[in-house]
């Protein structure tokens, strides 16, 4: 039993060493309760050293009034009352335009205080860090902001969407940041701040123990996610009814609702 447990632990540690910040699970844990690292990433992407993060939450679930929800990788607020959603997307389909719109809309719904004047809605940013250059122009950043087409002037709704090109390798702050996001080892990172956090999670005894515990939970979630993914494909194909699917996969009403929402978002 001891040998079996040790082998399992060794496998987890080996897997941990392969993680980079482009792995959303590791990235989420990396920024968990770490306002300084979150602040550094936002300051770099937005080219604004004055940003001061006062709160950060990983894997935050936000819901609409109709009950639809989305899980945000890293959700942050700064001292000016601006809100940020940072998403890691290795698959292009996870960073489509309507996904950005959906995240942004649910962020607004989560921020909105009932009865408050809409003019007080705070400025918000949805930031996708993508594995590939999904726009194919070789640029480090792609900013999406609404304009009044006939006048070619900003619409001024203070809703921003930014795509960060994970393939970018330029000799500048964004290039350095993307370099660090692809590093497995702390010693290879250019940012001392990111390297220190990586070293704690991968080399420090307490940090490794924390990550191994998280990885056990992640493994359980991954098995559940695989079941839900398979169920979603079957439901989308129309080969089974919701009742038949629920019985076959032993799904709860909440899980079935999540499957239907996922299909609706990606449609």
């Amino acid at each position: 039993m001891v040998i079996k447990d040790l082998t399992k632990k060794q496998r987890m540690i080996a897997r941990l060493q392969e993680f980079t910040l482009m792995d959303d699970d590791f990235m989420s844990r990396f920024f968990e309760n770490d306002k300084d690292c979150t602040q550094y990433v936002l300051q770099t992407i937005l080219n604004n050293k004055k940003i001061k993060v006062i709160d950060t939450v990983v894997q935050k679930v936000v819901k609409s009034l109709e009950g639809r929800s989305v899980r945000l990788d890293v959700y942050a607020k700064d001292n000016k009352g601006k809100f940020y959603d940072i998403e890691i997307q290795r698959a292009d389909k996870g960073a489509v335009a309507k996904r950005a719109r959906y995240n942004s809309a649910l962020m607004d719904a989560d921020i909105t205080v009932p009865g408050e004047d809409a003019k007080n809605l705070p400025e918000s940013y949805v930031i996708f860090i993508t594995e590939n250059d999904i726009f194919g122009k070789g640029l480090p950043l792609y900013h999406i902001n609404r304009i009044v087409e006939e006048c070619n002037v900003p619409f001024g709704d203070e809703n921003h969407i930014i795509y960060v090109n994970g393939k970018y390798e330029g000799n500048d702050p964004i290039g350095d940041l993307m370099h660090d996001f692809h590093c497995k080892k702390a010693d290879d990172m250019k940012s001392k701040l990111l390297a220190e956090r990586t070293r704690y999670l991968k080399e420090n005894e307490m940090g490794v123990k924390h990550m191994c515990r998280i990885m056990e939970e992640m493994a359980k979630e991954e098995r559940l996610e695989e079941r839900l993914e398979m169920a979603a494909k079957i439901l989308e194909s129309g080969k089974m009814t919701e009742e038949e699917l629920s019985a076959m996969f032993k799904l709860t009403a909440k899980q079935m609702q999540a499957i239907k929402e996922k299909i609706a978002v990606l449609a």
Side-chain angles (χ1 to χ4, degrees):
M1 180 63 72
V2 174
I3 295 176
K4 182 178 179 181
D5 289 343
L6 182 61
T7 303
K8 179 181 177 182
K9 182 179 179 180
Q10 289 174 333
R11 287 200 303 268
M12 283 194 293
I13 292 175
R15 184 183 177 195
L16 172 61
Q17 300 310 315
E18 292 299 308
F19 279 141
T20 72
L21 285 171
M22 290 305 297
D23 294 292
D24 58 355
D25 289 325
F26 181 67
M27 180 261 205
S28 295
R29 304 309 168 188
F30 185 96
F31 291 105
E32 186 175 27
N33 301 319
D34 196 312
K35 292 183 286 188
D36 290 339
C37 285
T38 304
Q39 180 174 286
Y40 169 77
V41 170
L42 290 174
Q43 287 179 346
T44 303
I45 293 173
L46 296 173
N47 191 28
N48 182 359
K49 298 299 182 183
K50 294 183 178 180
I51 294 174
K52 301 297 179 184
V53 171
I54 62 172
D55 189 29
T56 181
V57 180
V58 300
Q59 296 298 308
K60 177 179 172 64
V61 176
V62 295
K63 295 183 178 181
S64 69
L65 294 176
E66 291 76 26
R68 290 191 173 186
S69 65
V70 64
R71 189 183 299 272
L72 308 179
D73 285 350
V74 181
Y75 185 72
K77 179 182 179 181
D78 71 11
N79 63 331
K80 300 295 185 181
K82 299 177 183 179
F83 288 83
Y84 307 85
D85 165 33
I86 307 174
E87 298 286 321
I88 287 290
Q89 289 295 336
R90 306 200 80 159
D92 291 356
K93 67 178 182 180
V96 295
K98 289 188 177 179
R99 171 69 186 278
R101 173 183 169 185
Y102 185 68
N103 280 26
S104 181
L106 288 195
M107 281 179 67
D108 283 348
D110 186 69
I111 295 167
T112 302
V113 176
E116 187 173 8
D117 195 315
K119 68 180 181 181
N120 296 324
L121 192 65
E123 192 168 1
S124 67
Y125 292 79
V126 174
I127 301 171
F128 283 108
I129 301 175
T130 59
E131 176 78 8
N132 301 308
D133 180 5
I134 63 174
F135 293 98
K137 301 299 181 180
L139 299 175
L141 301 171
Y142 300 94
H143 295 79
I144 292 87
N145 295 294
R146 291 186 179 91
I147 63 167
V148 181
E149 291 184 1
E150 289 75 11
C151 311
N152 195 32
V153 296
F155 184 48
D157 61 349
E158 295 190 331
N159 170 247
H160 313 280
I161 297 169
I162 300 174
Y163 285 80
V164 185
N165 175 9
K167 291 290 187 184
Y168 183 71
E169 298 179 345
N171 186 26
D172 55 26
I174 298 298
D176 289 348
L177 183 66
M178 290 301 96
H179 167 272
D180 287 355
F181 263 63
H182 285 86
C183 286
K184 297 178 181 179
K185 297 180 180 179
D187 290 344
D188 295 334
M189 289 182 160
K190 298 183 178 183
S191 165
K192 292 182 179 179
L193 184 65
L194 300 185
E196 182 180 351
R197 179 65 172 163
T198 299
R199 190 169 289 111
Y200 172 75
L201 293 175
K202 290 193 174 190
E203 300 175 22
N204 180 275
E205 183 179 353
M206 291 298 295
V208 171
K209 185 180 295 185
H210 171 71
M211 281 305 302
C212 285
R213 185 168 61 251
I214 293 297
M215 289 170 68
E216 286 183 351
E217 296 173 2
M218 285 165 48
K220 293 178 182 177
E221 292 177 2
E222 285 174 2
R223 289 193 291 271
L224 174 60
E225 197 64 36
E226 287 174 0
R227 288 178 55 239
L228 297 181
E229 187 73 29
M230 186 180 299
K233 290 180 179 179
I234 294 173
L235 182 63
E236 193 172 18
S237 71
K239 295 179 180 179
M240 283 188 180
T241 65
E242 290 182 24
E243 292 75 15
E244 291 171 335
L245 203 64
S246 293
M248 178 179 178
F249 286 89
K250 299 180 180 179
L251 301 174
T252 65
K254 186 177 181 180
Q255 289 170 338
M256 177 57 73
Q257 182 62 31
I259 288 172
K260 291 193 292 184
E261 289 177 7
K262 183 175 183 179
I263 292 174
V265 171
L266 297 178

